[in-house]
Amino acid sequence: MEVKKIEKSGDKWEVVLEVGIPGQGLLEVLDELERRFRDYSFRADGRNITVEASFRILEPWEDEPAEDVAESMALELLSFITAGGPRGEI
């Protein structure tokens, strides 16, 4: 998993992640990710899945840097993939 881009655009942060998927299950992983993470957009490219997301840090007490939020997103996706999805089947 690699964070490819973190960029502020107006009042939003745009994040692009790239996930390398070993083996034959790219489309199955893509389908599971799309079902589970509806706020993100996904596209397959070779052996990788590109993830695009945007978010706002709205509350004044949310002092977590955008980079940390992007890293948390990456860890959540990676955990989902390595755990085999919601049914342990990926």
Side-chain angles (χ1 to χ4, degrees), residues 23-86:
Q24 301 294 322
L26 181 71
L27 295 178
E28 291 81 13
V29 171
L30 183 63
D31 287 345
E32 287 293 327
L33 289 171
E34 287 174 336
R35 276 194 282 277
R36 170 66 170 88
F37 299 94
R38 295 177 189 226
D39 291 339
Y40 304 164
S41 66
F42 300 91
R43 76 174 178 278
D45 180 25
R47 297 295 329 144
N48 298 317
I49 294 176
T50 300
V51 182
E52 296 180 5
S54 64
F55 63 91
R56 292 184 178 107
I57 298 179
L58 298 174
E59 304 298 337
W61 57 85
E62 291 179 333
D63 58 357
E64 188 173 27
E67 292 79 10
D68 290 352
V69 174
E71 190 66 31
S72 293
M73 292 166 57
L75 289 172
E76 181 181 22
L77 289 165
L78 188 59
S79 174
F80 182 80
I81 291 167
T82 58

